[in-house]
């Protein structure tokens, strides 16, 4: 028997032995990830509490006079610069983080775990300090998932095991954030995997329980929402709960739609800012590779933050209770303070925002990280019918210099898609076969280019002799 055969049999035997104890190894690794995640989330929660306190002190100081108000404005400007730099260095730390985790588990992303971990913690703490609306659920899930990925990469685990460990970390993150180990486990089963798996269940339960124990030991047993219910609802009024569920479902749908439109609005802000910056002489340089003048830098994150933090700064003086995560607002409403007044004001603000964003119209700005289903939904909204599975999925990184994409970039500008703002970014291209192209053509395909969960470019291709490349609009 040759040396190679012996080596091969040894590897096979090692894999078989590992498979027999795989479930138990996952549980042990889940506990390690849970403990680590609990420590990090405890630090994260402390930073958010500290940032909340700093913001409240800044708000109180800004309301004491004109000079303090100007100093507070300078602090907000500094936050724009620092958070914008973080987002430009690590774009995967934007948003809640849940879409990015789902995309990684689907094989659509490969995030730098350490970079995302550090930038997410710092970016969230600074954002809360500036008054931006930020919950702890999504960031904690992404932080936990990156802990799991870091453990897997450090110990050279295979891809399948890495994804299990990321799920352990995600569940542990949610558990430590709210003191809810059961919720963390159910989240992984329902949201990340959408099926029952004993490996996921057991390992995630171990991770969630250990992270909750560690976080509770450090932070304390006080619940996140500490209000008490002093009266029980009489049985004869239970039918009100059904009506309340329907009303909250409608408001939830309205809120989600508003979020989508606001994402579209901020995408437009970023695109407009980069378009204006290209006209500044100081923002242009000679590209030695092409011999042409090139635009340097992406200021879209700074522009978006400037708008968001300006809104928060206005609330410093107009309605400061709405700043930050909203925990304080929920507790005060639960205590009976200005419940009707707060509801009316919040509904009025939501109505104004929704009115202007709906008037702005435009494309659906964000596709969920369930990339294929999101792309299909996006194309269907434009009038296309496509096969449910893409004919090709391609991961690539755009060059820093996009000047060679002249015609393609012009096509994307005509569709208000921000392709020009994503030089140097890692993207994914999905190609779908169109089944309802006018005239019954069977050679029509749609391409969508995504950076994270944002559509940055798209086109329709006709592959025949009379083919070409066209916009995503359905032909009339």
């Amino acid at each position: 028997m040759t040396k190679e055969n012996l080596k091969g049999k040894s590897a096979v035997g090692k894999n078989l032995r590992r498979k027999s104890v795989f479930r138990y190894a996952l549980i042990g690794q889940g506990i390690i990830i849970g403990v680590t995640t609990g420590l990090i989330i405890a630090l994260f929660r402390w930073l958010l509490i500290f940032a909340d306190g700093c913001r409240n002190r800044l708000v109180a100081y800004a309301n004491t006079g004109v000079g303090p108000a100007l100093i507070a404005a300078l602090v907000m400007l500094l936050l724009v610069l620092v958070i914008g730099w973080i987002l430009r260095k690590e774009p995967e730390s934007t948003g809640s983080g849940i879409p990015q985790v789902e995309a990684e588990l689907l094989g659509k992303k490969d995030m730098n775990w350490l970079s995302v971990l550090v930038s997410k913690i710092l970016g969230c703490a600074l954002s809360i300090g500036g008054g931006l609306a930020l919950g702890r659920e999504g960031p904690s899930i992404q932080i936990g998932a990156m802990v799991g990925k870091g453990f897997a990469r450090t110990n050279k685990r295979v891809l399948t095991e890495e994804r299990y460990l990321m799920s352990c970390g995600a569940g542990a993150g949610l558990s430590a954030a709210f003191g809810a180990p059961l919720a963390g486990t159910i989240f992984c089963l329902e949201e990340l995997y959408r099926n029952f798996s004993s490996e996921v269940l057991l390992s995630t339960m171990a991770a969630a329980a250990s992270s909750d124990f560690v976080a509770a030991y450090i932070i304390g047993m006080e619940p996140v929402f500490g209000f008490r219910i002093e009266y029980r609802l009489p049985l004869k009024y239970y039918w009100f709960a059904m009506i309340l569920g329907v009303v909250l479902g409608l408001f939830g749908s309205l809120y989600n739609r508003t979020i989508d439109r606001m994402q579209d609005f901020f995408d437009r802000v970023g695109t407009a800012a980069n378009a204006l910056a290209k006209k500044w002489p100081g923002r242009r340089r000679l590209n030695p590779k092409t011999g042409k003048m090139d635009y340097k830098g992406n200021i879209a994150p700074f522009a978006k933050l400037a708008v968001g933090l300006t809104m928060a700064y206005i609330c410093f003086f107009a309605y400061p209770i709405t700043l930050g995560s909203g925990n304080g607002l929920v507790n005060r409403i639960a205590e009976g303070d200005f419940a009707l007044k707060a509801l009316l004001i919040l509904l009025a603000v939501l109505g104004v925002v929704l009115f202007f964003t709906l008037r702005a119209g435009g494309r659906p700005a964000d596709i969920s990280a369930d990339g294929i289903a999101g792309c299909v939904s996006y194309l269907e909204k434009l009038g296309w019918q496509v096969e449910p599975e893409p004919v090709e999925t391609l991961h690539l990184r755009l060059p820093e210099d996009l000047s060679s994409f002249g015609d393609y970039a012009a096509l994307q500008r005509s569709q208000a898609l921000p392709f020009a703002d994503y030089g140097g970014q890692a993207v994914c291209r999905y190609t779908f076969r169109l089944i309802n192209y006018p005239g019954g053509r069977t050679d029509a395909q749609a391409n969508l280019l995504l950076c994270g969960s944002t559509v940055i470019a798209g086109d329709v291709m006709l592959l025949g002799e009379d083919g070409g490349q066209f916009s995503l609009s359905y032909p009339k």
Side-chain angles (χ1 to χ4, degrees):
M1 184 175 290
T2 65
K3 188 176 180 180
E4 287 76 11
N5 287 336
L6 286 172
K7 189 174 181 180
K9 286 194 172 184
S10 175
V12 170
K14 182 178 179 181
N15 287 336
L16 289 174
R17 287 192 298 272
R18 179 159 180 78
K19 184 177 181 181
S20 65
V21 297
F22 179 65
R23 182 179 300 176
Y24 306 105
L26 271 182
I27 294 173
Q29 292 174 107
I31 292 173
I32 296 173
I33 291 170
V35 170
T36 307
T37 301
L39 290 170
I40 294 175
I41 296 301
L43 170 64
F44 179 61
R45 288 175 59 177
W46 181 84
L47 284 175
L48 294 186
I49 294 170
F50 178 75
D52 256 328
C54 290
R55 186 199 61 249
N56 292 337
R57 287 191 289 272
L58 181 63
V59 169
Y61 177 68
N63 279 274
T64 59
V66 177
L70 292 177
I71 293 175
L74 291 176
V75 172
M76 299 295 273
L77 177 60
L78 180 62
L79 287 175
V80 169
L81 298 176
V82 175
I83 302 173
W85 180 83
I86 292 174
L87 294 181
R88 194 163 71 171
K89 289 293 183 181
E90 185 46 77
E92 298 296 354
S93 64
T94 59
S96 73
I98 296 177
Q100 290 91 323
V101 173
E102 291 179 338
E104 176 114 7
L105 293 177
L106 289 168
K108 309 300 182 186
K109 280 184 179 295
D110 185 15
M111 291 180 279
N112 183 323
W113 67 271
L114 183 59
S115 174
V116 172
L117 183 66
V118 174
S119 61
K120 194 72 174 183
I121 293 174
L122 294 178
C124 288
L126 292 172
S127 297
I128 281 287
L132 297 181
L134 175 74
R136 69 181 69 183
E137 175 191 0
S140 297
I141 288 170
Q142 188 178 22
I143 290 169
M146 292 303 98
V147 171
K149 183 175 183 177
F151 179 88
R153 291 292 174 92
T154 303
N155 293 280
K156 297 181 172 58
R157 298 295 187 246
V158 297
L159 182 59
T160 300
E161 192 170 354
E162 177 182 302
R163 291 176 180 172
Y164 279 129
L165 296 177
M166 286 184 64
S167 300
C168 290
L174 180 57
S175 172
F178 290 100
L182 182 59
T185 304
I186 297 301
F187 170 83
C188 289
L189 290 172
E190 287 189 340
E191 181 66 20
L192 298 183
Y193 279 89
R194 293 184 172 89
N195 61 66
F196 181 84
S197 166
S198 58
E199 285 81 6
V200 175
L201 174 64
L202 295 174
S203 59
T204 305
M205 283 182 66
S210 56
S211 70
D212 177 45
F213 175 82
V214 171
Y217 183 80
I218 297 173
I219 298 294
M221 298 294 292
E222 185 72 20
V224 175
F225 295 103
F227 57 85
R228 294 179 296 177
I229 301 175
E230 299 180 357
Y231 302 99
R232 293 184 179 181
L233 182 68
L235 187 61
K236 63 181 179 179
Y237 295 130
Y238 271 36
W239 62 274
F240 274 112
M242 299 173 60
I243 298 176
L244 179 64
V246 173
V247 172
L248 292 178
L250 293 173
F251 274 111
S253 176
L254 180 64
Y255 174 78
N256 288 335
R257 191 170 183 182
T258 304
I259 291 294
D260 286 340
R261 295 302 184 183
M262 289 303 293
Q263 287 176 330
D264 181 62
F265 166 72
F266 279 100
D267 280 345
R268 291 174 184 274
V269 167
T271 301
N274 277 336
L276 288 173
K278 290 179 181 180
K279 299 178 181 179
W280 299 347
R283 302 292 298 176
R284 300 182 69 84
R285 64 182 175 186
L286 181 65
N287 189 321
K289 295 181 179 179
T290 63
K292 299 179 180 179
M293 295 301 293
D294 186 19
Y295 163 67
K296 63 177 181 179
N298 173 23
I299 66 168
F302 301 98
K304 295 176 184 180
L305 280 165
V307 173
L309 287 173
T310 298
M311 295 179 180
Y313 183 71
I314 293 172
C315 289
F316 274 28
F317 310 97
Y319 204 37
I321 191 64
T322 59
L323 296 170
S325 64
N327 286 15
L329 179 61
V330 171
N331 289 329
R332 289 189 62 178
I333 291 176
E335 293 170 0
D337 289 352
F338 60 84
L340 182 59
K341 175 186 173 184
L343 179 62
L344 292 176
I345 292 176
L346 291 174
L347 288 180
V349 172
L350 182 63
V352 171
V353 170
L354 183 64
F355 174 76
F356 284 106
T357 53
L358 286 178
R359 284 180 64 89
R363 60 183 176 82
D366 196 54
I367 289 181
S368 70
D370 188 4
I372 295 174
C375 289
V376 170
S377 175
Y378 184 95
L379 292 169
E380 286 177 347
K381 290 177 181 178
L382 297 174
W384 296 108
Q385 295 177 15
V386 301
E387 291 183 345
E389 295 295 327
V391 297
E392 182 183 47
T393 301
L394 180 64
H395 296 272
L396 63 151
R397 183 175 292 276
L398 295 176
E400 291 282 352
D401 178 18
L402 298 176
S403 59
S404 60
F405 292 79
D407 293 339
Y408 185 77
L411 176 63
Q412 305 316 314
R413 284 196 299 272
S414 70
Q415 302 177 95
L417 291 172
F419 173 75
D421 302 333
Y422 285 82
Q425 299 298 317
V427 299
C428 181
R429 189 188 72 186
Y430 296 95
T431 301
F432 294 86
R433 192 173 77 83
L434 301 175
I435 59 179
N436 69 329
Y437 196 88
R441 295 189 64 148
T442 60
D443 62 344
Q445 295 181 343
N447 298 305
L448 286 181
L449 202 63
L450 275 70
C451 182
S453 58
T454 301
V455 178
I456 66 169
D459 62 89
V460 171
M461 291 284 294
L462 298 180
L463 305 179
E465 294 182 357
D466 59 341
Q469 191 174 45
F470 309 95
S471 75
L472 290 168
S473 300
Y474 188 81
K476 297 181 180 179

